[in-house]
Coordinates of all heavy atoms in Angstrom, one line a residue:
M10 N 116.1 85.1 94.8 CA 116.1 85.6 96.3 C 115.2 86.8 96.4 O 115.3 87.7 95.6 CB 117.5 85.9 96.6 CG 118.2 84.8 97.5 SD 119.8 85.4 98.2 CE 120.7 85.8 96.8
P11 N 114.5 86.8 97.5 CA 113.6 87.9 97.7 C 114.3 89.1 98.3 O 115.3 88.9 99.0 CB 112.6 87.4 98.7 CG 113.3 86.3 99.4 CD 114.3 85.8 98.5
I12 N 113.8 90.3 98.0 CA 114.3 91.5 98.6 C 113.4 91.8 99.8 O 112.2 91.9 99.6 CB 114.4 92.6 97.6 CG1 115.3 92.2 96.4 CG2 114.9 93.9 98.2 CD1 115.3 93.3 95.3
Y13 N 114.1 92.1 100.9 CA 113.3 92.5 102.1 C 113.7 93.9 102.5 O 114.8 94.3 102.3 CB 113.5 91.5 103.2 CG 113.0 90.1 103.0 CD1 113.8 89.0 102.8 CD2 111.6 89.9 102.9 CE1 113.3 87.8 102.6 CE2 111.1 88.7 102.6 CZ 111.9 87.6 102.5 OH 111.4 86.3 102.2
E14 N 112.8 94.4 103.3 CA 113.0 95.7 103.8 C 113.4 95.5 105.3 O 112.8 94.7 106.0 CB 111.8 96.6 103.7 CG 112.2 98.1 104.0 CD 110.9 99.0 103.9 OE1 109.9 98.5 103.5 OE2 111.1 100.1 104.2
F15 N 114.4 96.2 105.7 CA 114.9 96.0 107.1 C 114.9 97.4 107.8 O 115.1 98.4 107.2 CB 116.3 95.5 107.1 CG 116.4 94.0 106.7 CD1 116.5 93.7 105.3 CD2 116.3 93.0 107.6 CE1 116.5 92.4 104.9 CE2 116.4 91.7 107.1 CZ 116.4 91.4 105.8
E16 N 114.8 97.3 109.1 CA 115.0 98.5 109.9 C 116.0 98.2 111.0 O 115.9 97.2 111.7 CB 113.7 98.9 110.5 CG 113.8 100.2 111.3 CD 112.4 100.7 111.7 OE1 111.9 100.0 112.6 OE2 112.0 101.8 111.3
C17 N 117.0 99.0 111.1 CA 118.1 98.8 112.0 C 117.6 99.2 113.4 O 117.0 100.2 113.6 CB 119.3 99.6 111.7 SG 120.6 99.5 112.9
E18 N 117.8 98.3 114.4 CA 117.4 98.6 115.8 C 118.4 99.5 116.5 O 118.2 100.0 117.6 CB 117.2 97.3 116.6 CG 116.0 96.5 116.0 CD 115.7 95.3 116.9 OE1 116.5 94.9 117.7 OE2 114.6 94.7 116.6
E19 N 119.6 99.6 115.9 CA 120.6 100.5 116.5 C 120.4 101.9 116.1 O 120.4 102.8 116.9 CB 122.0 100.0 116.0 CG 122.4 98.7 116.6 CD 122.7 98.8 118.1 OE1 123.1 99.9 118.6 OE2 122.5 97.8 118.8
C20 N 120.3 102.1 114.8 CA 120.3 103.5 114.3 C 119.0 103.9 113.6 O 118.8 105.1 113.3 CB 121.5 103.8 113.4 SG 121.3 103.0 111.8
G21 N 118.1 102.9 113.4 CA 116.8 103.2 112.9 C 116.8 103.4 111.4 O 115.8 103.7 110.8
A22 N 117.9 103.1 110.7 CA 118.0 103.2 109.3 C 117.1 102.2 108.6 O 117.0 101.0 109.1 CB 119.4 103.1 108.8
R23 N 116.5 102.5 107.5 CA 115.8 101.5 106.8 C 116.5 101.3 105.5 O 117.0 102.2 104.8 CB 114.4 102.1 106.5 CG 113.5 102.0 107.6 CD 112.1 102.2 107.2 NE 111.2 102.1 108.3 CZ 109.8 102.0 108.2 NH1 109.3 102.1 107.0 NH2 109.1 101.8 109.2
F24 N 116.5 100.0 105.1 CA 117.2 99.7 103.8 C 116.6 98.4 103.3 O 116.0 97.6 104.0 CB 118.7 99.6 104.0 CG 119.1 98.5 105.1 CD1 119.4 97.3 104.8 CD2 119.1 98.9 106.5 CE1 119.8 96.3 105.7 CE2 119.4 98.0 107.4 CZ 119.8 96.7 107.1
E25 N 116.9 98.2 102.0 CA 116.4 97.0 101.4 C 117.6 96.1 101.1 O 118.7 96.5 100.7 CB 115.7 97.3 100.1 CG 114.4 97.9 100.4 CD 113.8 98.6 99.2 OE1 114.4 98.6 98.1 OE2 112.7 99.2 99.3
E26 N 117.4 94.8 101.2 CA 118.5 93.9 101.1 C 118.0 92.6 100.4 O 116.9 92.1 100.8 CB 119.1 93.6 102.5 CG 120.4 93.0 102.5 CD 121.5 93.9 102.1 OE1 121.6 95.0 102.6 OE2 122.3 93.6 101.2
L27 N 118.8 92.1 99.5 CA 118.5 90.8 98.9 C 119.1 89.7 99.9 O 120.3 89.6 100.1 CB 119.3 90.7 97.6 CG 118.5 90.7 96.3 CD1 119.3 91.1 95.2 CD2 118.0 89.3 96.1
V28 N 118.2 88.9 100.4 CA 118.7 87.9 101.4 C 118.1 86.5 101.2 O 116.9 86.4 100.9 CB 118.5 88.3 102.8 CG1 119.6 89.1 103.3 CG2 117.2 88.9 103.0
A29 N 118.9 85.5 101.5 CA 118.3 84.2 101.6 C 117.6 84.1 102.9 O 118.0 84.7 103.9 CB 119.4 83.2 101.5
A30 N 116.5 83.3 103.0 CA 115.8 83.1 104.2 C 116.7 82.7 105.3 O 117.5 81.8 105.2 CB 114.7 82.1 104.0
G31 N 116.4 83.3 106.5 CA 117.2 82.9 107.7 C 118.6 83.5 107.8 O 119.2 83.3 108.9
R32 N 119.0 84.3 106.8 CA 120.3 84.9 106.9 C 120.2 86.2 107.7 O 119.3 87.0 107.6 CB 120.9 85.2 105.5 CG 121.3 84.0 104.8 CD 122.5 83.3 105.3 NE 123.7 84.0 104.8 CZ 124.2 83.9 103.5 NH1 123.6 83.2 102.7 NH2 125.3 84.6 103.2
A33 N 121.3 86.5 108.5 CA 121.3 87.7 109.2 C 121.8 88.8 108.3 O 122.5 88.5 107.3 CB 122.3 87.6 110.4
V34 N 121.3 90.0 108.5 CA 121.6 91.1 107.7 C 122.2 92.2 108.5 O 121.8 92.5 109.6 CB 120.4 91.6 106.9 CG1 120.6 93.0 106.3 CG2 120.0 90.6 105.9
A35 N 123.3 92.8 108.0 CA 123.9 93.9 108.7 C 123.4 95.2 108.1 O 123.1 95.4 107.0 CB 125.4 93.9 108.5
C36 N 123.3 96.2 109.1 CA 122.7 97.5 108.7 C 123.7 98.2 107.7 O 124.9 98.1 107.8 CB 122.6 98.4 110.0 SG 122.2 100.1 109.6
S37 N 123.0 98.8 106.7 CA 123.8 99.4 105.6 C 124.4 100.7 106.1 O 125.3 101.3 105.5 CB 123.0 99.7 104.4 OG 121.9 100.6 104.7
Q38 N 123.9 101.2 107.2 CA 124.3 102.5 107.8 C 125.4 102.3 108.8 O 126.5 102.9 108.7 CB 123.2 103.3 108.4 CG 122.1 103.7 107.4 CD 122.6 104.6 106.3 OE1 123.2 105.6 106.6 NE2 122.4 104.3 105.1
C39 N 125.2 101.5 109.8 CA 126.1 101.4 110.9 C 126.7 100.0 111.0 O 127.6 99.8 111.8 CB 125.4 101.8 112.2 SG 124.2 100.5 112.8
G40 N 126.3 99.1 110.2 CA 126.9 97.8 110.3 C 126.4 96.8 111.3 O 126.8 95.7 111.4
S41 N 125.5 97.3 112.2 CA 124.9 96.5 113.2 C 124.2 95.3 112.6 O 123.5 95.4 111.6 CB 124.0 97.3 114.1 OG 123.1 96.5 114.8
E42 N 124.2 94.2 113.3 CA 123.5 93.1 112.8 C 122.1 92.9 113.5 O 121.4 91.9 113.3 CB 124.3 91.8 113.0 CG 125.4 91.7 111.9 CD 126.2 90.4 112.0 OE1 125.8 89.5 112.8 OE2 127.1 90.3 111.3
R43 N 121.7 94.0 114.2 CA 120.4 94.0 114.8 C 119.3 94.6 113.9 O 118.4 95.3 114.3 CB 120.4 94.7 116.1 CG 121.2 94.0 117.2 CD 121.3 94.7 118.5 NE 119.9 94.9 119.0 CZ 119.6 95.8 119.9 NH1 120.5 96.6 120.4 NH2 118.4 95.9 120.3
A44 N 119.4 94.2 112.6 CA 118.4 94.7 111.7 C 117.2 93.8 111.7 O 117.3 92.6 111.8 CB 119.0 94.8 110.3
R45 N 116.1 94.5 111.8 CA 114.8 93.7 111.9 C 114.1 93.7 110.5 O 114.0 94.8 109.9 CB 113.9 94.4 112.9 CG 112.6 93.8 113.3 CD 112.1 94.4 114.6 NE 112.0 95.9 114.4 CZ 110.9 96.5 114.0 NH1 109.9 95.8 113.7 NH2 110.9 97.8 113.9
R46 N 113.7 92.6 110.1 CA 113.0 92.5 108.9 C 111.6 93.1 109.0 O 110.9 92.7 109.9 CB 112.9 91.1 108.4 CG 112.7 91.0 106.9 CD 112.6 89.6 106.4 NE 111.2 89.2 106.3 CZ 110.9 87.9 106.1 NH1 111.8 87.0 106.1 NH2 109.6 87.6 106.1
L47 N 111.2 94.0 108.1 CA 109.9 94.6 108.2 C 108.9 93.6 107.5 O 109.3 92.8 106.7 CB 109.9 96.0 107.5 CG 110.8 97.0 108.2 CD1 110.7 98.3 107.5 CD2 110.4 97.1 109.7
Y48 N 107.7 93.8 107.9 CA 106.6 92.9 107.4 C 106.5 92.8 105.9 O 106.3 91.7 105.4 CB 105.3 93.3 108.1 CG 104.3 92.3 107.9 CD1 104.3 91.1 108.6 CD2 103.2 92.5 107.0 CE1 103.4 90.1 108.4 CE2 102.2 91.5 106.8 CZ 102.3 90.3 107.5 OH 101.4 89.4 107.3
S49 N 106.6 93.9 105.3 CA 106.3 93.9 103.8 C 107.6 93.7 103.0 O 108.7 94.0 103.5 CB 105.7 95.3 103.4 OG 106.6 96.3 103.7
T50 N 107.4 93.0 101.9 CA 108.6 92.9 101.0 C 108.6 94.2 100.2 O 107.8 95.1 100.3 CB 108.4 91.7 100.0 OG1 107.1 91.8 99.5 CG2 108.5 90.4 100.8
V51 N 109.6 94.3 99.4 CA 109.9 95.5 98.7 C 108.9 96.4 98.2 O 108.0 96.1 97.4 CB 110.8 95.2 97.5 CG1 110.8 96.4 96.5 CG2 112.2 95.0 98.0
S52 N 108.9 97.6 98.8 CA 108.1 98.7 98.4 C 108.7 99.9 99.2 O 109.3 99.6 100.2 CB 106.7 98.5 98.8 OG 106.5 98.0 100.0
P53 N 108.6 101.0 98.7 CA 109.2 102.2 99.4 C 108.7 102.2 100.8 O 107.5 101.8 101.1 CB 108.8 103.4 98.6 CG 108.5 102.8 97.2 CD 108.0 101.4 97.4
P54 N 109.4 102.8 101.8 CA 109.0 102.8 103.2 C 107.6 103.3 103.4 O 107.2 104.3 102.8 CB 110.0 103.7 103.8 CG 111.2 103.7 102.9 CD 110.7 103.4 101.5
G55 N 106.9 102.6 104.2 CA 105.5 103.1 104.6 C 104.4 102.8 103.6 O 103.3 103.1 103.8
R56 N 104.8 102.2 102.5 CA 103.8 102.0 101.4 C 103.1 100.7 101.6 O 103.8 99.6 101.7 CB 104.5 102.0 100.1 CG 103.8 103.0 99.1 CD 104.3 102.7 97.8 NE 104.2 104.0 97.0 CZ 104.4 104.0 95.7 NH1 104.8 102.9 95.1 NH2 104.3 105.1 95.0
Q57 N 101.8 100.7 101.6 CA 101.1 99.4 101.6 C 100.7 99.0 100.2 O 100.5 99.8 99.3 CB 99.7 99.6 102.4 CG 99.9 100.1 103.8 CD 100.7 99.1 104.6 OE1 100.5 97.9 104.6 NE2 101.8 99.5 105.3
P58 N 100.8 97.7 99.9 CA 100.5 97.2 98.6 C 99.2 97.7 98.0 O 99.1 98.1 96.8 CB 100.4 95.7 98.8 CG 101.2 95.4 100.0 CD 101.1 96.6 100.9
R59 N 98.2 97.8 98.8 CA 96.9 98.2 98.3 C 97.0 99.7 97.9 O 96.5 100.1 96.9 CB 95.9 98.0 99.4 CG 94.5 98.0 98.9 CD 93.5 97.6 100.0 NE 92.2 97.6 99.5 CZ 91.1 97.4 100.2 NH1 91.3 97.2 101.5 NH2 89.9 97.4 99.7
G60 N 97.5 100.5 98.8 CA 97.7 101.9 98.5 C 98.5 102.2 97.3 O 98.2 103.0 96.5
A61 N 99.5 101.4 97.1 CA 100.4 101.5 96.0 C 99.6 101.3 94.7 O 99.8 102.0 93.7 CB 101.6 100.6 96.0
A62 N 98.7 100.3 94.7 CA 98.0 99.9 93.5 C 97.0 101.1 93.2 O 96.9 101.5 92.1 CB 97.2 98.7 93.7
V63 N 96.4 101.6 94.2 CA 95.5 102.7 94.1 C 96.2 103.9 93.5 O 95.8 104.6 92.6 CB 94.8 103.1 95.4 CG1 94.1 104.5 95.3 CG2 93.8 102.1 95.8
R64 N 97.4 104.2 94.1 CA 98.2 105.3 93.7 C 98.6 105.2 92.2 O 98.6 106.1 91.5 CB 99.4 105.5 94.6 CG 99.5 106.9 95.1 CD 100.5 107.0 96.2 NE 100.1 106.1 97.3 CZ 100.7 106.0 98.4 NH1 101.7 106.7 98.7 NH2 100.3 105.1 99.4
S65 N 99.0 104.0 91.8 CA 99.5 103.8 90.5 C 98.3 103.9 89.5 O 98.5 104.5 88.4 CB 100.2 102.5 90.3 OG 99.4 101.5 90.0
D66 N 97.2 103.5 89.9 CA 96.0 103.7 89.0 C 95.8 105.2 88.9 O 95.5 105.7 87.8 CB 94.7 103.2 89.7 CG 94.4 101.8 89.2 OD1 95.2 101.2 88.5 OD2 93.4 101.2 89.6
E67 N 95.9 105.9 89.9 CA 95.6 107.4 89.9 C 96.7 108.1 89.1 O 96.4 108.9 88.3 CB 95.7 107.9 91.3 CG 95.0 109.2 91.4 CD 95.0 109.8 92.9 OE1 94.8 109.0 93.8 OE2 95.3 110.9 93.0
S68 N 97.9 107.6 89.2 CA 99.0 108.3 88.4 C 98.8 108.0 86.9 O 99.1 108.8 86.1 CB 100.4 107.9 88.9 OG 100.7 106.6 88.5
R69 N 98.3 106.8 86.6 CA 98.1 106.4 85.2 C 97.0 107.3 84.7 O 97.0 107.8 83.6 CB 97.6 105.0 85.1 CG 98.5 104.2 84.1 CD 98.2 102.7 84.1 NE 98.6 102.1 85.4 CZ 98.0 101.1 85.9 NH1 97.0 100.5 85.2 NH2 98.4 100.6 87.0
R70 N 95.9 107.5 85.5 CA 94.8 108.4 85.1 C 95.3 109.8 84.9 O 95.0 110.5 83.9 CB 93.8 108.4 86.2 CG 92.4 108.3 85.7 CD 91.3 108.6 86.6 NE 91.6 108.5 88.0 CZ 91.4 107.4 88.8 NH1 90.8 106.4 88.3 NH2 91.7 107.5 90.1
R71 N 96.2 110.2 85.8 CA 96.7 111.6 85.6 C 97.6 111.7 84.4 O 97.6 112.8 83.7 CB 97.6 112.0 86.9 CG 97.1 113.3 87.4 CD 97.8 113.6 88.7 NE 97.8 112.3 89.6 CZ 98.3 112.3 90.8 NH1 98.9 113.3 91.3 NH2 98.2 111.2 91.5
E72 N 98.3 110.7 84.0 CA 99.1 110.7 82.8 C 98.3 110.8 81.6 O 98.6 111.6 80.7 CB 100.0 109.4 82.7 CG 101.4 109.6 83.1 CD 102.1 108.3 83.3 OE1 102.0 107.4 82.4 OE2 102.7 108.0 84.4
R73 N 97.2 110.0 81.6 CA 96.3 110.1 80.5 C 95.7 111.5 80.3 O 95.6 112.0 79.2 CB 95.1 109.0 80.7 CG 95.3 107.8 79.9 CD 94.0 107.1 79.6 NE 93.2 106.9 80.9 CZ 93.3 105.8 81.7 NH1 94.1 104.8 81.4 NH2 92.6 105.7 82.8
E74 N 95.3 112.0 81.4 CA 94.7 113.3 81.5 C 95.7 114.4 80.9 O 95.3 115.2 80.1 CB 94.2 113.7 82.9 CG 93.5 115.0 83.0 CD 92.2 115.1 82.2 OE1 91.6 114.1 81.9 OE2 91.8 116.2 82.0
A75 N 96.9 114.3 81.4 CA 97.9 115.2 80.9 C 98.2 115.1 79.4 O 98.3 116.1 78.7 CB 99.2 114.9 81.7
A76 N 98.1 113.9 78.9 CA 98.3 113.6 77.5 C 97.2 114.3 76.7 O 97.4 114.9 75.7 CB 98.4 112.1 77.2
R77 N 96.0 114.1 77.3 CA 94.8 114.7 76.6 C 94.9 116.2 76.6 O 94.7 116.8 75.5 CB 93.5 114.2 77.4 CG 92.3 114.3 76.6 CD 91.1 113.7 77.3 NE 90.8 114.4 78.5 CZ 89.9 115.4 78.6 NH1 89.3 115.8 77.5 NH2 89.7 116.1 79.7
Q78 N 95.2 116.8 77.7 CA 95.4 118.2 77.8 C 96.5 118.7 76.8 O 96.3 119.7 76.1 CB 95.8 118.6 79.2 CG 94.7 118.4 80.3 CD 93.5 119.2 80.1 OE1 93.5 120.2 79.4 NE2 92.4 118.8 80.7
G79 N 97.5 117.9 76.7 CA 98.6 118.3 75.7 C 98.1 118.3 74.3 O 98.4 119.2 73.5
R80 N 97.3 117.2 74.0 CA 96.7 117.2 72.6 C 95.8 118.4 72.3 O 95.8 119.0 71.3 CB 96.0 115.9 72.4 CG 96.9 114.7 72.0 CD 96.1 113.6 71.3 NE 95.1 113.1 72.3 CZ 95.3 112.1 73.1 NH1 96.5 111.6 73.2 NH2 94.4 111.7 74.0
I81 N 95.0 118.7 73.3 CA 94.1 119.8 73.2 C 94.9 121.1 72.9 O 94.6 121.9 72.0 CB 93.2 119.9 74.4 CG1 92.2 118.8 74.4 CG2 92.4 121.3 74.4 CD1 91.4 118.7 75.7
A82 N 95.9 121.3 73.8 CA 96.7 122.5 73.6 C 97.3 122.6 72.3 O 97.4 123.6 71.6 CB 97.7 122.6 74.7
E83 N 97.8 121.4 71.8 CA 98.5 121.3 70.6 C 97.6 121.7 69.4 O 97.9 122.5 68.5 CB 99.0 119.9 70.4 CG 100.0 119.7 69.3 CD 101.2 120.6 69.5 OE1 101.7 120.7 70.6 OE2 101.7 121.1 68.5
S84 N 96.3 121.1 69.4 CA 95.4 121.4 68.3 C 94.9 122.8 68.4 O 94.7 123.5 67.3 CB 94.2 120.4 68.4 OG 93.3 120.8 69.4
R85 N 94.8 123.4 69.6 CA 94.4 124.8 69.7 C 95.5 125.7 69.1 O 95.3 126.6 68.4 CB 94.3 125.1 71.2 CG 93.1 126.0 71.5 CD 92.9 126.2 72.9 NE 91.9 125.3 73.5 CZ 91.9 124.9 74.8 NH1 92.7 125.4 75.7 NH2 91.0 124.1 75.2
K86 N 96.8 125.3 69.4 CA 97.9 126.1 68.9 C 97.9 126.0 67.3 O 98.1 127.0 66.7 CB 99.2 125.5 69.4 CG 100.2 126.5 69.9 CD 101.5 125.9 70.3 CE 101.3 125.0 71.6 NZ 102.5 124.2 71.9
R87 N 97.7 124.8 66.8 CA 97.7 124.6 65.4 C 96.6 125.5 64.7 O 96.8 126.1 63.7 CB 97.5 123.2 65.0 CG 98.8 122.6 64.4 CD 98.5 121.2 63.8 NE 97.7 120.5 64.8 CZ 98.1 119.3 65.4 NH1 99.2 118.8 65.0 NH2 97.4 118.7 66.2
R88 N 95.4 125.4 65.4 CA 94.3 126.2 64.9 C 94.6 127.7 64.9 O 94.3 128.4 63.9 CB 93.0 125.9 65.7 CG 91.8 125.9 64.8 CD 90.6 125.4 65.6 NE 90.8 124.2 66.3 CZ 90.2 123.8 67.4 NH1 89.4 124.6 68.1 NH2 90.5 122.6 68.0
A89 N 95.2 128.1 66.0 CA 95.5 129.5 66.1 C 96.5 130.0 65.0 O 96.3 131.0 64.4 CB 96.1 129.8 67.5
A90 N 97.4 129.1 64.8 CA 98.4 129.4 63.8 C 97.8 129.4 62.4 O 98.1 130.3 61.6 CB 99.5 128.3 63.8
G91 N 96.8 128.5 62.2 CA 96.1 128.5 60.9 C 95.2 129.7 60.6 O 95.0 130.1 59.5
E92 N 94.7 130.2 61.7 CA 93.8 131.3 61.6 C 94.5 132.6 61.3 O 93.8 133.6 61.0 CB 92.9 131.4 62.8 CG 91.8 130.4 62.8 CD 91.1 130.2 64.2 OE1 91.5 131.0 65.1 OE2 90.3 129.4 64.3
K93 N 95.8 132.6 61.5 CA 96.5 133.9 61.3 C 96.5 134.2 59.8 O 96.7 133.3 59.0 CB 98.0 133.7 61.8 CG 98.1 134.2 63.2 CD 99.5 134.0 63.7 CE 99.5 134.0 65.2 NZ 100.7 133.3 65.8
P94 N 96.4 135.4 59.5 CA 96.3 135.8 58.0 C 97.7 135.6 57.3 O 98.7 135.6 58.0 CB 96.0 137.3 58.1 CG 96.2 137.8 59.5 CD 96.2 136.6 60.4
Ligands
ZN1 ZN1 122.2 100.8 111.8

């Protein structure tokens, strides 16, 4: 079953729900059944699939960079320790 994102027309709450096609969904906040299915399937509110891909690429790059910096700092520390008399 797909997970869809809904927006309640009563209170404006957004929530994700696992639903069979064509089933009505009640708002998780106020219980209203006037929840509207949003266009995109599961992703955090406001996120476009394309942007998400770009963002995850960027975060992967940042992780790699952080790991590299960590290794550099580590070897610098080791060198400094080794140079002590
Ligand atoms: Zn609601």
Side-chain angles (χ1 to χ4, degrees):
M10 257 192 302
I12 299 176
Y13 291 114
E14 191 179 359
F15 292 85
E16 186 174 63
C17 176
E18 291 184 351
E19 290 290 332
C20 70
R23 281 192 177 193
F24 56 97
E25 286 164 4
E26 195 73 52
L27 247 158
V28 273
R32 289 286 280 284
V34 164
C36 172
S37 63
Q38 296 298 309
C39 71
S41 163
E42 283 184 5
R43 290 182 58 197
R45 184 163 57 90
R46 200 178 97 190
L47 297 180
Y48 190 71
S49 61
T50 50
V51 162
S52 45
R56 232 193 208 188
Q57 300 301 311
R59 202 173 177 185
V63 167
R64 230 166 304 183
S65 86
D66 263 7
E67 200 180 316
S68 78
R69 232 173 296 153
R70 224 191 341 261
R71 231 172 314 179
E72 258 167 52
R73 260 204 309 268
E74 181 64 19
R77 201 171 66 89
Q78 295 294 340
R80 273 200 301 275
I81 290 172
E83 194 59 39
S84 76
R85 219 174 266 157
K86 222 183 295 171
R87 249 191 312 242
R88 214 173 308 150
E92 280 165 8
K93 268 180 200 152

